[in-house]
Amino acid sequence: MKKVLYIELENCIGCRSCLAACTQCGGHEQRNRNYVIDVNPFVDRQTMPMMCLHCENPPCARSCPVQAIQVHETGAVLSAMTEKCLGCQNCTIACPYGIPKFDVEQNLMYKCDLCIDRTKDGIPPMCASVCPTNTLQWVTEEELAVKKSQFRLNNGMMASMEDPYLENKTNVHVSLPGILEGKEKLF
Amino acid sequence: MDKNNKIPFDEDNYTHNINKNNERKLDRRGFMKTMVGAAGLFAVSTLPWGSIAATELMGLREKKYPKKEIIDVKKLKVGDAFEFAYPTDHDSALLVRLGENEFKAYQNACTHLRCPVFWEQSKSELVCPCHHGFFDVKTGSPTAGPPRRPLPEITIQVEAGKIVATGVKRYET
């Protein structure tokens, strides 16, 4: 059964469990590959996880001159293949979300690969498995359809509300905070 | 929304493949690795030749020959030759007394077509009669005619008035 990562932004309490869990994932070599950012620093305390959204047409992979970033059959956009990556950082520039990180010492890009060793076998990614507030959820397509019928999921509004052309279809589904959707959410 | 969400060109997996399932099994790197691996394998497989060469050069594989009495020194006059068989009964050999204490012995099968070489005393030469091959009696190397390789020399020594064959020298080009 295919499962997808679903992000309920409003639930985030900024505990950064997802970052800690990311470092523990096999193959991540103690480095976390996602972010928790302040939505309105100095104004309120709302935080949100900034995950790789695993675009269906990923700009990072498209911009890679050596095809080091590959798309898994599950839709996950994988971290750069170490034997191919030449450290040009095109992907870092191309990503509209600023997800790929760059290791200067290894001259190597690394990014969220959706814990592919786990998710390809139906195990939730580390971040989703530890999230205490269900901000990050690993849901089936049926559950996602239920959520879609309840809320308007709009990836196009997530990173740049004025310019929807920046965005892609993604394999990670984001539910915007209720205040943006004009309704109160009760989870 | 369409503008930026299109795949810009038809992709083949030679120029731009980002699909993991579409990855070629033997790409350029794989091919290079295979070639380097094969070269390494060939390099390693030549190592036994080194040990073979070492044992040969250090004389570890020298053959042992039995000592064999040939003839009394007194029975062989200076300038004469004596035919015998060494190391086996089927390897005919030739002993030549060149001086009072100078003896030379060779296996006398001509290195051309194995005709028996004989001692031409008047010309001080070893002669193969079949095709007129000539050998230098001092060294055994051919001086004229078809043979190109020297006669195998038999080491000899004099023990208690008798000439004794002790071995056959290694063939060296």
Side-chain angles (χ1 to χ4, degrees):
Chain A
M1 188 186 298
K2 200 195 172 193
K3 286 190 167 189
V4 292
L5 188 65
Y6 169 72
I7 303 178
E8 185 61 58
L9 285 185
E10 212 170 34
N11 291 3
C12 183
I13 56 169
C15 68
R16 287 164 175 79
S17 302
C18 45
L19 306 192
C22 191
T23 63
Q24 300 302 311
C25 185
H28 285 196
E29 291 170 348
Q30 312 290 319
R31 294 176 303 198
N32 67 284
R33 300 164 174 212
N34 47 11
Y35 311 81
V36 170
I37 59 170
D38 293 311
V39 178
N40 273 321
F42 308 119
V43 177
D44 56 33
R45 286 159 190 271
Q46 179 64 54
T47 52
M48 61 177 272
M50 193 71 188
M51 321 295 293
C52 176
L53 295 183
H54 297 279
C55 309
E56 287 183 4
N57 185 19
C60 54
R62 294 264 168 245
S63 66
C64 182
V66 292
Q67 289 84 55
I69 306 173
Q70 294 189 321
V71 182
H72 196 256
E73 58 187 326
T74 59
V77 180
L78 302 178
S79 190
M81 297 170 71
T82 51
E83 64 264 40
K84 281 189 180 179
C85 179
L86 42 79
C88 70
Q89 305 189 40
N90 275 8
C91 47
T92 314
I93 299 165
C95 178
Y97 311 108
I99 295 300
K101 294 186 189 182
F102 191 73
D103 187 326
V104 180
E105 283 178 11
Q106 290 188 62
N107 201 35
L108 177 70
M109 185 281 279
Y110 62 102
K111 68 178 282 298
C112 167
D113 57 359
L114 207 63
C115 295
I116 190 65
D117 287 343
R118 294 161 62 88
T119 53
K120 76 174 190 308
D121 296 324
I123 306 168
M126 288 298 275
C127 51
S129 68
V130 299
C131 184
T133 58
N134 275 345
T135 306
L136 303 163
Q137 300 175 29
W138 185 244
V139 298
T140 62
E141 304 238 307
E142 291 79 39
E143 288 169 319
L144 184 70
V146 172
K147 287 177 192 296
K148 268 186 176 166
S149 65
Q150 286 177 320
F151 312 113
R152 201 170 98 243
L153 304 182
N154 192 348
N155 289 326
M157 292 177 70
M158 202 192 102
S160 170
M161 289 168 67
E162 286 81 28
D163 190 0
Y165 291 120
L166 279 178
E167 312 309 328
N168 279 331
K169 272 190 177 174
T170 59
N171 286 303
V172 173
H173 298 269
V174 179
S175 173
L176 290 176
I179 192 167
L180 289 179
E181 297 186 7
K183 61 157 75 171
E184 192 176 346
K185 291 180 179 178
L186 294 172
F187 271 74
Chain B
M1 204 65 171
D2 279 350
K3 194 179 76 176
N4 281 342
N5 204 19
K6 271 189 295 193
I7 294 172
F9 46 82
D10 275 346
E11 293 171 326
D12 58 58
N13 69 353
Y14 288 97
T15 55
H16 199 271
N17 169 47
I18 59 170
N19 221 327
K20 192 171 179 64
N21 284 352
N22 221 2
E23 175 90 338
R24 271 168 296 141
K25 290 283 181 288
L26 188 68
D27 55 0
R28 187 181 60 85
R29 279 159 212 267
F31 177 71
M32 294 304 284
K33 282 178 189 170
T34 310
M35 294 304 288
V36 171
L41 196 66
F42 281 121
V44 169
S45 67
T46 58
L47 288 180
W49 294 111
S51 60
I52 289 172
T55 50
E56 295 287 339
L57 290 174
M58 288 158 65
L60 296 174
R61 211 174 281 176
E62 209 103 297
K63 275 186 195 162
K64 290 274 184 289
Y65 291 94
K67 276 190 182 179
K68 187 180 174 187
E69 213 171 273
I70 302 171
I71 190 175
D72 251 31
V73 177
K74 288 173 194 161
K75 287 183 182 170
L76 194 66
K77 283 184 279 180
V78 174
D80 267 0
F82 177 73
E83 216 170 289
F84 62 103
Y86 188 82
T88 69
D89 289 343
H90 304 287
D91 303 311
S92 75
L94 194 67
L95 171 70
V96 185
R97 185 172 186 182
L98 295 170
E100 197 57 42
N101 284 315
E102 196 181 358
F103 302 92
K104 282 283 178 183
Y106 300 99
Q107 292 195 328
N108 73 340
C110 175
T111 53
H112 175 223
L113 287 173
R114 302 185 68 77
C115 285
V117 174
F118 67 88
W119 171 236
E120 178 74 61
Q121 192 180 353
S122 56
K123 293 180 180 171
S124 291
E125 263 179 342
L126 292 166
V127 184
C128 172
C130 294
H131 305 105
H132 293 277
F134 296 93
F135 296 90
D136 184 4
V137 74
K138 293 265 165 67
T139 60
S141 55
T143 53
R148 286 283 170 268
R149 290 162 291 152
L151 294 171
E153 187 175 349
I154 294 168
T155 52
I156 45 177
Q157 60 193 50
V158 181
E159 281 178 11
K162 288 184 174 169
I163 301 168
V164 178
T166 55
V168 181
K169 279 190 183 169
R170 278 191 74 86
Y171 173 74
E172 280 167 13
T173 49

